[in-house]
Amino acid sequence: LESNRVIAIDAMGGDHAPDAVLRGANLARKRYPNTHFLLFGDEGTIEKGLSRIGMRGLRQVSTVRHAPEVVANEDPPVVALRQRRNSSMRLAINAVAEGEAECVVSAGNTGALMAMAKFVLHTLPLIDRPAIASFMPTARGESVMLDLGANIECDSDNLVQFAVLGEVFAATLLGIETPSVGLLNVGAEDLKGNTTLKDAAARLRDTELPIVFHGFVEGDDITAGTVDVIVTDGFTGNVALKTAEGTAKLLRSFFRDAFMSSFLARIGYLFAAGSFRKLSQRMDPRRYNGGVFLGLNGICVKSHGGTDAIGFANAVGLAIDMLKQDFNSKVSDHLTRLSSAGPRSGHEAAAG
Amino acid sequence: LESNRVIAIDAMGGDHAPDAVLRGANLARKRYPNTHFLLFGDEGTIEKGLSRIGMRGLRQVSTVRHAPEVVANEDPPVVALRQRRNSSMRLAINAVAEGEAECVVSAGNTGALMAMAKFVLHTLPLIDRPAIASFMPTARGESVMLDLGANIECDSDNLVQFAVLGEVFAATLLGIETPSVGLLNVGAEDLKGNTTLKDAAARLRDTELPIVFHGFVEGDDITAGTVDVIVTDGFTGNVALKTAEGTAKLLRSFFRDAFMSSFLARIGYLFAAGSFRKLSQRMDPRRYNGGVFLGLNGICVKSHGGTDAIGFANAVGLAIDMLKQDFNSKVSDHLTRLSSAGPRSGHEAAAG
């Protein structure tokens, strides 16, 4: 059972579990040879899945851990936290807390996963709340956006901490030396009253972190790639992410309609099909799979619930890359620099 | 000078003023024959514009009103309000307040226009704050979204009032008998703490308005067309609108790249070009031009600053349609129904 890296997998999480999860782990196993998989879930079901053709390789580098319960998609976080203590999700997270595994990947219920991960793993020192981050495709390549829904309301300390999490993520995962960071806002002329954003901006402007603080950005700056890291509260980030996904879906359907709308256009499609297949790959949502939970005392990656084996393998890959790059110690290092540079906001210092 | 309808135009507002404005008014004049235009701005410049070939028709149904000042795009709302009292924008709004004109259209600075319109026209009875609304293209046709940026922070009374403004707008402008209304939110599982949205939802659920209250919707429901009216605060609405615009722009550039990426794809484009021209028309931002200021004691339409004559003419058309349909009295009627159905939220009743 000895190997370089141990990863805990919630084998029962997601719409196509355990099939997509196991096939995804099997793909990841080929890409990352020195990895051992702890597979949490119903033992019989997982063993059956592993006994299929092509799964022998995964079987050899895996340990199956029986979990009698499953977190349902409908379970509210509080219910999952209190009543699903023997679920595949919870036991997989426990494995990280107990030092058995170095990271956990699940395609299950996001709210439950966040609640459990927060409760079991706790946040890193100097981080008040974890955030959900993801890559966004842009005109210039890829950016990082956070928070995508973990925290509905945020104060300026949260936003500053998210900025640190985001810049370290962009630096380590996208290889950008001094990432540019922007705070998501509306047109500057309407800024009255939003002191949270102004406070956060003032503190990021003065920071000694290795970042370029760009200031405020607007919704259209996300896909323009104006900055490498977009920082926002979880309400706005979640709406922006889903609005972008919905708009992309609408435009793809408009384009499909245009190609199907006439005989000539269909012929045109035959000629252009190769180029559009490449475009599909470029926009493949599986490339952007995985909402990473940043700020926890342990690596936790959430795969899209509806993803297939390729998407799940990408989520596993992301977790392993974060381990390799020693993500959390870099975050702690930057947080220390931030706190030594000056006190936190007066409001928070008094409150907390 | 007698005609059925008098419309005040800020001839100096927008990136291509007064040229695009005058040409737009001229187009609108042809579509709406019984309209008289009050053109506010520098008299010499406007007269020069009107003296050109093809403008004689507009000249005959217009009165030029000299305004010595112009609101700049960079003017903060407070500055515009206090120091631009003789601007084309302000004098055009004044004309509505003084009963000289029935509506005002401007392509100028949005924040300044809103501040001035609120100050000069006041809100309708039972409306605490006006909102900016616009049409959004969806998979099912068009929806209405508001607020798009007038109010960065909103309480539940504001949201309920926006719902009324939005449903009357959808009913009168899109011809939907009982519009469906949704409140923009994140996944229900993370709702903790956001009492504003819960309060507004509870009140809309009980309402006797002629609407179908759908409950909460998410970012991807905007373009899916899940509801006819999407209600949200001005911060979230502004970010969502600009994120959608940015995503659409990114995808159009991806598609353009795909068509240009190979010789075969270019040939394909030749065949498909006709269909894609139709698609371009369908997605033409000029069709969705005009952020309408709803809830004011007067009709005020904001055209995009960068729009051309066609876009400006559409904004004028929208204002005239609202007049024809007697938009504001329908709003007042629905607001009365709402207030007679029950008290406002305790919080607000105490505060206001």
Side-chain angles (χ1 to χ4, degrees):
Chain A
L1 279 182
E2 285 301 306
S3 64
N4 289 340
R5 216 176 285 117
V6 182
I7 180 163
I9 303 277
D10 169 13
M12 311 305 278
D15 304 343
H16 312 298
D19 193 58
V21 174
L22 294 179
R23 286 188 297 112
N26 197 30
L27 285 175
R29 186 255 318 164
K30 291 172 195 165
R31 278 186 230 157
Y32 301 92
N34 296 318
T35 307
H36 188 84
F37 294 84
L38 297 183
L39 304 173
F40 290 85
D42 182 75
E43 196 166 8
T45 312
I46 296 176
E47 288 291 3
K48 201 177 144 199
L50 289 175
S51 68
R52 281 172 308 177
I53 294 162
M55 287 298 207
R56 189 163 297 171
L58 180 63
R59 185 73 199 85
Q60 286 173 346
V61 294
S62 296
T63 307
V64 179
R65 294 283 180 86
H66 183 63
E69 294 169 2
V70 173
V71 174
N73 277 339
E74 313 77 53
D75 285 343
V78 178
V79 170
L81 195 56
R82 290 190 193 152
Q83 296 173 23
R84 305 285 181 268
R85 293 184 201 181
N86 292 308
S87 62
S88 55
M89 185 185 279
R90 176 63 176 268
L91 296 181
I93 298 170
N94 288 353
V96 176
E98 288 154 12
E100 278 196 291
E102 291 166 278
C103 60
V104 52
V105 181
S106 172
N109 178 332
T110 308
L113 185 65
M114 180 50 98
M116 285 180 177
K118 227 160 43 169
F119 179 77
V120 173
L121 300 175
H122 306 289
T123 54
L124 287 170
L126 301 173
I127 288 280
D128 295 320
R129 297 193 202 169
I132 303 176
S134 186
F135 296 118
M136 301 284 287
T138 75
R140 296 193 316 139
E142 287 174 327
S143 294
V144 176
M145 184 156 85
L146 75 169
D147 174 25
L148 300 179
N151 309 282
I152 296 313
E153 276 161 8
C154 292
D155 61 25
S156 59
D157 283 321
N158 298 141
L159 294 177
V160 170
Q161 291 162 18
F162 296 170
V164 175
L165 294 170
E167 57 95 358
V168 176
F169 194 71
T172 52
L173 274 293
L174 296 177
I176 301 163
E177 215 166 300
T178 51
S180 56
V181 176
L183 282 170
L184 192 57
N185 201 345
V186 297
E189 76 268 14
D190 280 325
L191 245 187
K192 55 196 168 197
N194 205 331
T195 48
T196 304
L197 281 167
K198 284 181 187 170
D199 278 4
R203 289 165 64 202
L204 287 170
R205 214 164 272 132
D206 289 341
T207 183
E208 288 173 39
L209 292 170
I211 64 168
V212 177
F213 179 61
H214 180 278
F216 295 129
V217 293
E218 299 189 56
D220 49 351
D221 288 307
I222 300 170
T223 46
T226 307
V227 290
D228 299 311
V229 181
I230 295 123
V231 174
T232 185
D233 64 90
F235 189 94
T236 311
N238 187 280
V239 168
L241 174 70
K242 286 177 179 158
T243 301
E245 287 174 348
T247 307
K249 194 177 165 193
L250 180 70
L251 263 89
R252 281 195 302 268
S253 82
F254 280 175
F255 273 87
R256 212 164 30 234
D257 291 353
F259 269 131
M260 292 299 131
S261 66
S262 74
F263 182 67
L264 281 179
R266 283 175 200 226
I267 293 178
Y269 182 71
L270 295 181
F271 283 97
S275 295
F276 277 89
R277 260 195 299 276
K278 271 186 214 149
L279 175 60
S280 289
Q281 286 163 14
R282 187 173 167 188
M283 300 200 306
D284 190 343
R286 295 178 301 194
R287 278 190 60 190
Y288 303 100
N289 188 43
V292 191
F293 292 2
L294 302 182
L296 292 168
N297 197 9
I299 302 294
C300 181
V301 174
K302 163 73 173 76
S303 167
H304 274 175
T307 198
D308 61 6
I310 294 172
F312 195 84
N314 286 343
V316 171
L318 191 52
I320 293 176
D321 284 343
M322 289 174 75
L323 285 178
K324 276 191 185 172
Q325 300 283 336
D326 222 355
F327 177 79
N328 270 354
S329 25
K330 283 178 186 159
V331 167
S332 297
D333 174 48
H334 283 211
L335 285 169
T336 312
R337 281 204 231 180
L338 186 77
S339 64
S340 66
R344 306 169 86 190
S345 72
H347 159 72
E348 269 305 294
Chain B
L1 280 180
E2 285 301 307
S3 65
N4 290 339
R5 216 176 285 118
V6 182
I7 181 164
I9 303 278
D10 169 14
M12 311 306 278
D15 304 344
H16 311 298
D19 194 57
V21 174
L22 294 178
R23 286 189 296 111
N26 198 31
L27 285 174
R29 188 254 320 165
K30 292 172 194 165
R31 278 185 229 159
Y32 301 92
N34 296 318
T35 308
H36 188 83
F37 294 84
L38 296 184
L39 304 174
F40 290 84
D42 182 75
E43 197 167 8
T45 313
I46 296 177
E47 289 291 1
K48 200 176 146 198
L50 289 174
S51 68
R52 280 172 310 178
I53 293 163
M55 285 298 206
R56 189 163 298 172
L58 179 63
R59 185 71 199 85
Q60 285 173 347
V61 295
S62 296
T63 307
V64 179
R65 295 283 180 86
H66 183 64
E69 295 170 2
V70 174
V71 174
N73 277 338
E74 314 77 54
D75 284 343
V78 179
V79 171
L81 194 57
R82 289 189 193 153
Q83 296 174 22
R84 304 286 180 266
R85 294 184 201 180
N86 292 308
S87 62
S88 55
M89 184 185 280
R90 176 63 177 270
L91 296 181
I93 298 170
N94 288 353
V96 176
E98 289 155 12
E100 278 197 289
E102 292 166 278
C103 60
V104 52
V105 181
S106 172
N109 178 332
T110 308
L113 185 66
M114 179 50 99
M116 284 181 179
K118 228 165 34 173
F119 179 77
V120 174
L121 300 174
H122 305 289
T123 54
L124 287 170
L126 301 173
I127 289 279
D128 296 321
R129 295 193 202 169
I132 303 176
S134 187
F135 296 118
M136 300 283 289
T138 76
R140 297 193 315 139
E142 287 175 326
S143 295
V144 175
M145 185 156 86
L146 74 170
D147 175 25
L148 300 179
N151 309 282
I152 295 316
E153 276 161 7
C154 292
D155 62 26
S156 59
D157 283 321
N158 298 142
L159 294 176
V160 170
Q161 291 162 17
F162 296 170
V164 175
L165 294 170
E167 56 96 358
V168 177
F169 194 72
T172 53
L173 275 293
L174 296 177
I176 300 162
E177 216 166 300
T178 51
S180 57
V181 176
L183 282 170
L184 192 57
N185 201 346
V186 297
E189 76 268 12
D190 280 325
L191 245 187
K192 56 198 168 194
N194 205 330
T195 48
T196 304
L197 280 167
K198 283 181 188 170
D199 277 3
R203 289 166 63 202
L204 287 170
R205 215 165 271 132
D206 289 340
T207 181
E208 288 173 39
L209 292 171
I211 64 167
V212 177
F213 180 61
H214 181 278
F216 295 129
V217 292
E218 299 188 56
D220 48 353
D221 289 306
I222 300 170
T223 46
T226 307
V227 290
D228 300 311
V229 181
I230 295 122
V231 175
T232 185
D233 65 90
F235 189 94
T236 312
N238 187 280
V239 168
L241 173 70
K242 286 177 178 159
T243 301
E245 287 174 347
T247 307
K249 193 176 166 193
L250 180 69
L251 263 90
R252 282 195 301 269
S253 82
F254 280 177
F255 277 96
R256 212 164 29 236
D257 290 354
F259 269 129
M260 292 298 132
S261 66
S262 74
F263 181 67
L264 281 179
R266 282 174 199 228
I267 292 178
Y269 181 72
L270 294 181
F271 283 97
S275 295
F276 277 89
R277 259 195 300 275
K278 272 186 214 148
L279 175 61
S280 289
Q281 285 162 15
R282 188 172 168 188
M283 301 199 304
D284 189 342
R286 293 177 302 191
R287 278 192 60 191
Y288 303 100
N289 188 42
V292 190
F293 291 3
L294 302 181
L296 291 168
N297 197 9
I299 302 293
C300 182
V301 174
K302 162 72 172 77
S303 166
H304 274 176
T307 199
D308 61 7
I310 294 172
F312 194 84
N314 286 342
V316 172
L318 190 53
I320 293 177
D321 285 343
M322 289 174 75
L323 285 178
K324 278 190 183 172
Q325 301 282 336
D326 222 356
F327 177 79
N328 270 355
S329 21
K330 283 177 186 159
V331 167
S332 297
D333 175 48
H334 283 211
L335 284 169
T336 313
R337 282 204 230 182
L338 185 78
S339 64
S340 66
R344 307 169 85 189
S345 73
H347 159 71
E348 269 305 294

